[in-house]
Amino acid sequence: EAAVTQSPRSKVAVTGGKVTLSCHQTNNHDYMYWYRQDTGHGLRLIHYSYVADSTEKGDIPDGYKASRPSQENFSLILELASLSQTAVYFCASSDAREQYFGPGTRLTVL
Amino acid sequence: QQKVQQSPESLIVPEGGMASLNCTSSDRNVDYFWWYRQHSGKSPKMLMSIFSNGEKEEGRFTVHLNKASLHTSLHIRDSQPSDSALYLCAASMNTNAYKVIFGKGTHLHVLP
């Protein structure tokens, strides 16, 4: 079965601090995604990537950077965390037929 | 503007009943739809996908697609309490098949 893992699973950060969320997949998929989920907003696409060392902006990229150092790893970086970035973040990998999601990271910014 | 709109926001059906969920896109470039299910506290998992006009059935789940109106619907017959979840519709465009956009979802509650 497809496997996507995320770390940490939960994090509390301070406003203005730097936060890095990590994602690792063992599916050998080319495409990887970062989404955030807030109550009432479904899933919103932040960044995605189709090859190592390249990332693309999604629909809500402001305040976020992404890094894809290898096919297996995809990170989401919040350089200056803000209260509005409190949310659950999901990473996914895709074989174009289906997206496989990780368990999510609950981020609370205080 | 939300490119994928879902309705209703919330739906309550009795156990054994039929649940019908709707999804429409405002982008004429949409050419592929998915339905995902997300139980509370869990990650989304794909239920079904559809890209051709018509109907697709898998067990108690049926998906319809009308490409002319860019409307898809998910129907769950003989609904069970375990079907209670957030149902997410997703779409991709023929301009970028790998950029997948999700709707806000429909909360389905199946009452025993």
Side-chain angles (χ1 to χ4, degrees):
Chain A
E1 173 148 343
V4 179
T5 56
Q6 294 182 232
S7 63
R9 293 292 311 277
S10 179
K11 182 169 181 66
V12 178
V14 295
T15 304
K18 182 176 181 178
V19 176
T20 300
L21 306 183
S22 300
C23 179
H24 178 79
Q25 56 114 348
T26 59
N27 306 325
N28 200 33
H29 290 161
D30 288 330
Y31 279 77
M32 295 188 74
Y33 304 79
W34 276 107
Y35 293 92
R36 67 176 279 175
Q37 186 169 41
D38 305 88
T39 302
H41 283 281
L43 291 170
R44 292 186 288 175
L45 180 62
I46 306 170
H47 286 287
Y48 63 105
S49 168
Y50 57 88
V51 68
D53 296 323
S54 178
T55 63
E56 302 291 329
K57 293 181 179 180
D59 290 334
I60 55 163
D62 293 346
Y64 302 94
K65 290 172 60 176
S67 173
R68 183 93 181 268
S70 64
Q71 186 193 42
E72 298 80 17
N73 296 294
F74 191 34
S75 297
L76 185 68
I77 302 139
L78 291 65
E79 295 277 5
L80 296 169
S82 66
L83 295 173
S84 64
Q85 293 176 312
T86 291
V88 177
Y89 291 84
F90 286 100
C91 175
S93 72
S94 173
D95 59 3
R97 293 187 300 273
E98 178 177 350
Q99 293 202 327
Y100 298 87
F101 286 85
T105 295
R106 182 173 296 277
L107 175 65
T108 303
V109 182
L110 301 176
Chain B
Q1 180 189 7
Q2 186 80 11
K3 287 190 174 183
V4 176
Q5 296 94 31
Q6 292 187 243
S7 63
E9 288 186 16
S10 183
L11 179 63
I12 299 173
V13 300
E15 183 175 357
M18 171 75 84
S20 295
L21 292 69
N22 298 292
C23 175
T24 302
S25 177
S26 57
D27 193 322
R28 301 299 309 178
N29 292 312
V30 164
D31 65 352
Y32 213 109
F33 284 96
W34 292 264
W35 285 94
Y36 283 76
R37 181 167 70 179
Q38 184 180 22
H39 286 107
S40 181
K42 303 295 185 182
S43 55
K45 286 187 169 46
M46 192 188 78
L47 274 177
M48 296 177 72
S49 62
I50 189 165
F51 63 93
S52 298
N53 265 329
E55 175 181 301
K56 186 175 176 181
E57 182 177 333
E58 291 182 8
R60 298 184 294 109
F61 300 87
T62 302
V63 173
H64 293 271
L65 176 61
N66 181 325
K67 295 196 82 170
S69 60
L70 297 176
H71 178 263
T72 178
S73 55
L74 172 68
H75 305 272
I76 308 171
R77 62 177 173 81
D78 189 24
S79 296
Q80 302 298 307
S82 59
D83 293 327
S84 295
L86 178 67
Y87 287 79
L88 295 161
C89 176
S92 65
M93 320 295 164
N94 56 25
T95 51
N96 183 347
Y98 290 96
K99 183 180 178 183
V100 179
I101 305 299
F102 284 78
K104 294 184 178 183
T106 292
H107 288 274
L108 174 64
H109 305 275
V110 181
L111 300 180

